[in-house]
Amino acid sequence: MIICLGCSILMFSLLFLTTGVLEYSLIGGIVTFLYSFLYASGAIKKYTNAQRSTIECANFINTVIISLSISNSLEMAYKDATTKMSKQLDKFIKNQCKSLDVSENLETLRNYFKSSTYAVFLNILKMHAYNGGNILEMSVNLQLELRRKQEIINSIKQINNRKTYEFFSLWAFCLAILLFCRLGLNNIYQMMQSYFLFNYEILFFFAFMLFSSHLFISNVTNSIKKVI
């Protein structure tokens, strides 16, 4: 909410500074707030949660498998895996995983991780419970897939960080030029404002900035969906 409000105030200030029209500035500020609140903040939150959950799922599965191979006790493996958790996972376990049967709790965690690899992990645990065997050998392909996903997510994170830096740098440079014209070349800028279409061109500039932000956010937040 605070970030949404900050973006709205920033848009209002920039519009009012460059156009001097209160109505345009209010509309721009309201549109920015609504977009940030209704879409952008939710999309970014889902992206960060999906990124965290995928890494957390891999760590959880690896801990259970390694602990199970050493102790041969699913209860001990579950306890080891739930020793160090994020606040989100800890909250989910306390609210949802209340069964005395560890297998049922692991099955319930399917609703938290929501990953295809976690479903494979549960099937491997069932096979191990029924047939026995070496859990490490049974889960070799799964561990390779988890490692592959972690590497992909790290690569996506690095690429998106670079894209974010480039995106904000580009628009910061464009805004700096506009503000320099407004504040440093005030007389020329006021003369340009006397033209009928000038303020509309400024509005188009900010509308395009908002639209490009939408495309950028959509591209970044959708980049992780195929990995999950």
Side-chain angles (χ1 to χ4, degrees), residues 171 174-175 178 200-210:
W171 280 109
C174 293
L175 288 172
L178 182 62
Y200 290 103
E201 292 172 352
I202 295 295
L203 290 176
F204 176 79
F205 169 82
F206 282 102
F208 180 73
M209 184 176 69
L210 189 61

Side-chain angles (χ1 to χ4, degrees), residues 190-206:
Q190 288 181 350
M191 183 179 66
M192 294 173 64
Q193 275 189 310
S194 63
Y195 291 99
F196 174 70
L197 293 177
F198 182 77
N199 276 344
Y200 290 103
E201 292 172 352
I202 295 295
L203 290 176
F204 176 79
F205 169 82
F206 282 102

Side-chain angles (χ1 to χ4, degrees), residues 78-170:
Y78 178 77
K79 182 178 179 181
D80 290 340
T82 54
T83 299
K84 294 182 180 180
M85 302 176 292
S86 65
K87 293 181 180 180
Q88 294 86 346
L89 179 56
D90 183 53
K91 182 179 179 181
F92 182 89
I93 289 177
K94 287 180 178 179
N95 293 335
Q96 303 295 331
C97 302
K98 299 180 180 179
S99 175
L100 296 177
D101 187 351
V102 172
S103 297
E104 291 184 9
N105 290 333
L106 289 170
E107 187 69 33
T108 302
L109 282 171
R110 185 199 294 261
N111 298 323
Y112 176 82
F113 289 120
K114 298 177 182 178
S115 171
S116 57
T117 51
Y118 189 79
V120 174
F121 164 69
L122 291 177
N123 290 332
I124 292 174
L125 287 182
K126 290 176 183 178
M127 291 174 57
H128 180 265
Y130 293 143
N131 304 321
N134 189 323
I135 187 66
L136 290 177
E137 293 180 357
M138 296 171 68
S139 60
V140 168
N141 292 332
L142 175 61
Q143 290 179 310
L144 289 175
E145 176 65 14
L146 291 172
R147 193 175 299 115
R148 185 187 70 86
K149 281 191 174 184
Q150 287 179 305
E151 291 174 354
I152 293 175
I153 287 178
N154 289 332
S155 297
I156 289 175
K157 186 177 180 180
Q158 291 177 358
I159 292 171
N160 287 339
N161 287 341
R162 187 179 71 250
K163 286 182 177 179
T164 301
Y165 173 78
E166 293 173 352
F167 179 83
F168 280 102
S169 297
L170 174 63

Side-chain angles (χ1 to χ4, degrees), residues 14-15 17-20 177-195 198-199 202 206:
L14 289 171
L15 278 169
L17 185 63
T18 54
T19 65
I177 294 174
L178 182 62
L179 292 175
F180 173 77
C181 294
R182 174 65 181 86
L183 301 175
L185 304 173
N186 189 40
N187 293 333
I188 298 176
Y189 191 89
Q190 288 181 350
M191 183 179 66
M192 294 173 64
Q193 275 189 310
S194 63
Y195 291 99
F198 182 77
N199 276 344
I202 295 295
F206 282 102

